């Protein structure tokens, strides 16, 4: 299995996990968490939809990184807007944006590396750092579920 196939499979797995967290949050009636997970799921589904077309179209391996960078910036802006309007929690909004900054930097670095040098200096950091921060964003979608379970399972009964 090549690294490209592994990243595609991991991306699909992340999409499934984000959709599962969205469904669970809706069932648990955790509105802010559901909005964050739903927004993230929509962006993951959109990325999975256009990924194969983008790879086919961009045979020079240059423009895809700018498109992914733009995709991530739009996600960050959406999450920031929803955080300002109190539709998602501040914790998720700020952490999501902080987790996305290295991904944007990597996409910019990769685009410059592929476009100007073709030395492939960015391959190793891209293959390691990108999945780590994408996994962190997926975990952030699950954070409200863990908080809910912690509060339900480990809450001390109040005595009168």
């Amino acid at each position: 299995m090549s690294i490209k196939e592994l990243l595609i499979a991991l991306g699909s797995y992340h999409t499934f996990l984000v959709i599962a967290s969205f469904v669970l949050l809706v069932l648990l009636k955790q509105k802010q968490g559901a909005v964050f997970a739903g927004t993230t799921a929509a962006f993951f589904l959109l990325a999975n939809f256009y990924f194969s077309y983008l790879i086919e179209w961009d045979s020079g391996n240059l423009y895809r990184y700018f498109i992914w960078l733009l995709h991530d910036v739009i996600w960050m802006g959406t999450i920031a807007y929803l955080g300002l309007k109190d539709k998602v929690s501040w914790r998720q909004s700020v952490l999501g944006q902080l987790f996305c900054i290295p991904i944007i930097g990597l996409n910019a670095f990769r685009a410059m590396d592929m476009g100007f040098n073709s030395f492939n200096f960015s391959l190793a950091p891209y293959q390691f750092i990108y999945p780590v921060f994408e996994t962190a964003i997926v975990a952030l979608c699950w954070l409200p579920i863990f908080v809910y379970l912690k509060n339900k399972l480990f809450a001390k009964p109040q005595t009168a």
Side-chain angles (χ1 to χ4, degrees):
M1 175 180 265
S2 72
I3 191 68
K4 183 192 267 187
E5 292 169 348
L6 178 67
L7 289 174
I8 292 170
L10 185 62
S12 298
Y13 187 61
H14 282 160
T15 303
F16 171 74
L17 286 174
V18 171
I19 292 171
S21 71
F22 171 69
V23 170
L24 284 172
L25 287 164
V26 167
L27 292 175
L28 294 173
K29 297 179 178 132
Q30 298 291 315
K31 186 179 180 208
Q32 287 185 330
V35 170
F36 181 85
T39 303
T40 305
F43 275 86
F44 274 43
L45 286 170
L46 178 65
N48 282 343
F49 172 74
Y50 72 75
F51 181 81
S52 60
Y53 298 113
L54 182 62
I55 298 298
E56 182 181 319
W57 171 74
D58 184 27
S59 59
N61 291 342
L62 176 63
Y63 298 110
R64 67 182 71 174
Y65 300 107
F66 290 115
I67 292 171
W68 291 333
L69 185 144
L70 180 64
H71 181 90
D72 291 331
V73 167
I74 292 170
W75 178 82
M76 276 181 66
T78 304
I79 294 302
Y81 176 78
L82 292 172
L84 288 173
K85 294 296 182 182
D86 288 333
K87 302 293 184 192
V88 300
S89 75
W90 272 98
R91 180 184 338 167
Q92 282 182 306
S93 177
V94 170
L95 285 175
Q97 293 173 55
L98 287 174
F99 291 157
C100 198
I101 288 171
I103 293 173
I104 290 172
L106 279 172
N107 279 327
F109 179 54
R110 185 87 171 131
M112 288 188 305
D113 188 29
M114 295 300 288
F116 299 119
N117 311 2
S118 297
F119 291 136
N120 238 0
F121 289 134
S122 62
L123 183 62
Y126 192 81
Q127 289 176 344
F128 175 71
I129 295 172
Y130 195 93
V132 167
F133 282 99
E134 191 169 271
T135 302
I137 291 171
V138 172
L140 199 54
C141 291
W142 283 82
L143 182 66
I145 296 169
F146 296 137
V147 170
Y148 176 84
L149 291 174
K150 181 191 88 117
N151 291 339
K152 287 295 183 181
L153 297 176
F154 300 109
K156 295 181 183 179
Q158 299 292 325
T159 56

